[in-house]
Amino acid sequence: VASSTSDDEVHARAKLTEGYCEIMSGRLDRAAQSFEESASTFQARATLVELAKALNGQGMCALGMGSVGEAIRVFGFALRTASTVGDIDRLAAVWGNTGVVYELVGQFDHASQCYRRAVAFSKEAGNPRRLAEALLNAADLHLVLGELDTMERHVRRAMRAAAASQLWRFRVNVEM
C-alpha cells in the first residue's frame, strides 16, 4: 500500500503498520525506518494521534537496538504528544514501555512510577489487554525486587484483565 499511493497520509499510515509488522518479525532496523518515515509525515501534518503511535514504535526500536537514551527521549516525545491530544490508551502503552527502559537500567523507582501510570491509564481507557500488560510489567519489577507477594498480586490481577480481554491467545500467554 505504501508504495502504491500518492496520498502522504495513507502512505504514512501504511508505513506505521509496516513498522509494527517489522517489529513482530524482529527486523528492528527496518521497523525504525518505517516509524521514522511515518512520524515525519504525521508531525508535518499535525496528525498527533498517529504521531504518538509512530513515536512509541520508534522508542521500542531504539530500546531493542540498545539505544537507551534515545528510547527515553523518543518515549518522552510520545508521552507529550499523546497527552496533548488526550490519547489515554497511547499514554498507557508509552508509560509501560518507558517503565521497561527504566527497569532495564536499574532505575526501579522510576520504573515503578511508570508502571503505576500505565495501570491507571489502562483502567481509564477501559483496555483490559493494555491493563494486563501493565500489570505484568509491574509484576516483573516486583519479582526483580524480591517482593513476591506484590508480584503474585499483580499476576492475579493481570490474569483477570486478560480474561476480560476476550482474546484467548493473549489470555493463555498471560497465564503462562
Side-chain angles (χ1 to χ4, degrees), residues 4-120:
S4 66
T5 183
S6 60
D7 183 309
D8 285 350
E9 189 164 346
V10 171
H11 179 81
R13 288 176 188 274
K15 288 305 235 180
L16 177 64
T17 301
E18 181 180 284
Y20 280 106
C21 291
E22 294 290 0
I23 281 180
M24 298 303 291
S25 299
R27 294 185 292 262
L28 297 180
D29 55 336
R30 291 172 62 177
Q33 291 172 345
S34 294
F35 289 129
E36 187 175 326
E37 187 176 334
S38 65
S40 176
T41 300
F42 293 138
Q43 188 169 14
R45 298 185 109 204
T47 311
L48 299 183
V49 170
E50 301 303 317
L51 175 59
K53 292 177 185 178
L55 292 168
N56 187 43
Q58 278 185 291
M60 292 165 58
C61 290
L63 180 60
M65 293 188 289
S67 299
V68 173
E70 178 68 5
I72 290 172
R73 185 191 69 74
V74 174
F75 285 144
F77 187 20
L79 287 168
R80 289 188 300 279
T81 303
S83 184
T84 297
V85 293
D87 186 347
I88 303 301
D89 193 56
R90 190 62 36 209
L91 284 167
V94 180
W95 275 118
N97 289 336
T98 304
V100 170
V101 176
Y102 284 122
E103 183 177 347
L104 287 174
V105 298
Q107 294 186 17
F108 301 129
D109 287 340
H110 286 310
S112 181
Q113 292 170 11
C114 292
Y115 294 150
R116 278 196 297 275
R117 288 179 175 136
V119 167

